[in-house]
Amino acid sequence: MLRGFRHIRGYFKDPQQLELLEEIRRIIAQAPLFSPAMPRTGKPFSVQMTNAGALGWVSDISGYRYQDRHPETAEPWPPLPATLRALWRDVADWPGDPEACLINYYGQGTRMGSHVDRDESDFSAPVVSVSLGDDAIFHVGGLRRSDPKTRIVLSSGDVAVLGGSARKAYHGIDRIIPGSSDLLTEGGRFNLTLRRVTTYQNPVPDLDRTRGT
Ligand SMILES: O=C(O)CCC(=O)C(=O)O
Ligand SMILES: [Mn+2]
């Protein structure tokens, strides 16, 4: 497996998972889950999505992109929850803040095909993911789609970090395991991914202030 992939089991304990789930429900009440479609073909994804943060990832017949508004309500995305900002500061090892949190909902029989997250302009920042609800069989491979893959079970409360060389690794969800968690009353799984989208400039010291008087 490529360097820079980390799997932190049980990062969020049960009470924190419930709090995070409440946050997700509040976000969805403001920014409803929508069904993205594949570029060109318009074929719907099996997962449903929404976002929080300044930017959100969307996909439709015209392509993949980040935008600052929900594609159906045209409202700005709800703010990124403080718990997730704190998680980023704890595990990202990167100076800037995340700008987007993509929320995927996996119901029964859904999956996510192998892909690389490549719609961001700054690949030095990792993608940090949180799993809530049913277990998922996650795969992570190499820089080419045909490279060998490692399969890992992501359980509720787990955090995964795709950083370093693994930032551009192919990854996806083969399937979820129904009934493996009782966190979500409706069953299924939420996955949250924190992303830096735009490039980050290190703050330039204010020379006038540091020069002294
Ligand atoms: O659901 C997951 O664990 C992975 C999600 C993912 O790769 C993505 O949203 O880009
Ligand atoms: Mn991804």
Side-chain angles (χ1 to χ4, degrees), residues 73-134:
T73 67
E75 294 290 332
W77 305 105
L80 219 145
T83 326
L84 296 178
R85 289 189 187 279
L87 164 68
W88 176 272
R89 281 195 295 273
D90 189 26
V91 305
D93 191 22
W94 202 74
D97 289 326
E99 293 169 308
C101 175
L102 172 63
I103 300 169
N104 293 313
Y105 175 69
Y106 296 79
Q108 279 242 5
T110 61
R111 57 189 290 279
M112 186 176 287
S114 216
H115 66 279
V116 176
D117 296 329
R118 54 167 121 245
D119 300 314
E120 302 75 28
S121 0
D122 198 331
F123 293 108
S124 67
V127 170
V128 174
S129 118
V130 181
S131 296
L132 292 173
D134 283 337

Side-chain angles (χ1 to χ4, degrees), residues 102 104 106 112 115 117 154 171 173 189 191 193 195:
L102 172 63
N104 293 313
Y106 296 79
M112 186 176 287
H115 66 279
D117 296 329
L154 292 180
H171 61 278
I173 295 290
R189 168 180 188 258
N191 176 260
T193 44
R195 293 130 185 269

